Amino acid sequence: MRWKIGDVTVTRIVESTFEGLEAFLPDATPDAVLRYDWLRPFLTEDGVLKFSIHALVIETPSRRIIVDTCVGNEKPREAFPIWHMLQTGFLQDLEAAGFAPEFFDTVLCTHLHLDHVGWNTMLVDGQWVPTFPNARYLIERSEFGFLDTEGADDGQEQWARDMNRAVMVDSIRPVLAAGLVDLVTPDHVVCDEVRLVPTPGHTPGHVSIRIDSRGESGLITGDFIHHPCQLAHPEWSLTSDFDPAQSAQTREGVFATLADTPTLVIGTHWPDPTAGRIARDGGTYRLDIRGR
């Protein structure tokens, strides 16, 4: 799946898909979501939420960027059995699409959760090494600082702190040790067409990716929104959000800003058709996937 935004091309490379998330988004029951006809492409026939784990490749006239590197292979993730010690063909699919790991000069991490940084590294001869050896890995400074202290927040459950530590060990510290990490501000300008936008709440330093080229615009969400159903209910925060109130406030602010504009919104976890434009729908919002 591929989109053009002015002179910029965005390509989706899927690692895996799944259904559910009831434990983390309990308000999104089948009865609650099936009432919205526009949501049907993102639901099973029974009203279960559908999700995708994918990376997004951004090609600009000057930069070759990969955004959020999925779960990765051979990563110990016992808390999430569907992602534990994965063996997928993600790298082969990336190369088949024309993107060898050496192609990239930039890796962007919207945040540092396990399903967004896994292919930062790969296992070679028992050691975690950078997957993209020619790239600078850009990480928002406060996001890194939070994990660097092992996520030692009293409000976090033990499994979340354990997962943060595991991610640091196998997906962040190896690229840091290789000298490939740049810690950046939440409004960092990557190049003329690409910049970061602060969208905190899901994590302390969460960012989204804004693209502007030749009068056209796009936004790659990261996880400030997980599923399009949250357009209809911006107040639906994940139980795992670092700050659920801030997460809801971020969604409402971004939706209000982008509603009824031509900005293409590309969901980091949205399954096919993955992208659309935000439209007002009474007192809330919906996703318009026509002409995406």
Side-chain angles (χ1 to χ4, degrees):
M1 192 168 286
R2 183 173 281 120
W3 304 270
K4 287 287 290 184
I5 302 168
D7 290 332
V8 176
T9 302
V10 181
T11 304
R12 186 191 71 164
I13 307 294
V14 176
E15 182 185 55
S16 66
T17 60
F18 69 99
E19 300 168 356
L21 214 65
E22 297 90 346
F24 292 95
L25 200 54
D27 294 315
T29 63
D31 286 344
V33 297
L34 283 171
R35 68 186 67 176
Y36 301 103
D37 288 341
W38 62 267
L39 266 177
R40 296 298 176 124
F42 306 101
L43 308 171
T44 69
E45 290 185 0
D46 297 329
V48 176
L49 308 185
K50 296 195 294 187
F51 294 90
S52 174
I53 306 293
H54 52 251
L56 292 160
V57 175
I58 304 175
E59 297 174 89
T60 83
S62 64
R63 301 295 282 269
R64 297 170 292 188
I65 304 165
I66 185 167
V67 179
D68 287 349
T69 62
C70 305
V71 176
N73 278 2
E74 302 179 283
K75 298 290 171 81
R77 303 292 186 247
E78 292 89 347
F80 296 91
I82 63 170
W83 296 335
H84 180 58
M85 301 301 288
L86 280 186
Q87 289 290 342
T88 73
F90 175 81
L91 277 190
Q92 290 81 359
D93 292 341
L94 193 65
E95 293 202 40
F99 309 118
E102 295 77 14
F103 171 85
F104 296 98
D105 55 50
T106 308
V107 177
L108 292 183
C109 303
T110 63
H111 62 299
L112 300 182
H113 279 172
L114 64 98
D115 51 325
H116 296 259
V117 300
W119 279 108
N120 283 3
T121 61
M122 60 184 179
L123 198 61
V124 177
D125 297 328
Q127 301 292 322
W128 295 110
V129 301
T131 304
F132 307 101
N134 299 327
R136 303 301 302 177
Y137 288 66
L138 306 189
I139 300 174
E140 199 279 331
R141 187 177 302 275
S142 64
E143 182 80 0
F144 175 82
F146 178 72
L147 258 72
D148 195 36
T149 57
E150 298 186 340
D153 179 81
D154 292 340
Q156 281 208 313
E157 296 182 32
Q158 186 62 48
W159 69 265
R161 293 197 294 272
D162 291 344
M163 192 57 61
N164 286 343
R165 284 192 286 270
V167 164
M168 284 295 291
V169 167
D170 60 36
S171 300
I172 306 300
R173 294 204 185 283
V175 290
L176 188 69
L180 298 180
V181 172
D182 293 329
L183 300 181
V184 299
T185 61
D187 58 354
H188 178 73
V189 176
V190 180
C191 60
D192 288 344
E193 300 83 5
V194 180
R195 61 185 172 90
L196 306 186
V197 178
T199 47
H202 181 58
T203 62
H206 188 284
V207 295
S208 300
I209 314 298
R210 173 84 183 194
I211 301 168
D212 292 282
S213 177
R214 292 192 177 273
E216 298 181 355
S217 59
L219 184 78
I220 294 174
T221 63
D223 279 5
F224 87 86
I225 174 174
H226 281 76
H227 191 273
C229 70
Q230 291 171 288
L231 284 160
H233 289 276
E235 75 279 10
W236 285 357
S237 293
L238 264 69
T239 57
S240 58
D241 281 350
F242 177 77
D243 186 334
Q246 186 179 50
S247 176
Q249 183 179 10
T250 291
R251 279 189 295 279
E252 180 60 46
V254 175
F255 298 164
T257 299
L258 297 184
D260 300 326
T261 74
T263 298
L264 183 70
V265 179
I266 304 173
T268 297
H269 284 311
W270 299 355
D272 293 348
T274 303
R277 290 171 173 82
I278 296 175
R280 295 189 184 276
D281 190 11
T284 184
Y285 309 91
R286 62 179 171 83
L287 192 68
D288 186 353
I289 61 176
R290 297 170 297 177
R292 65 189 184 283

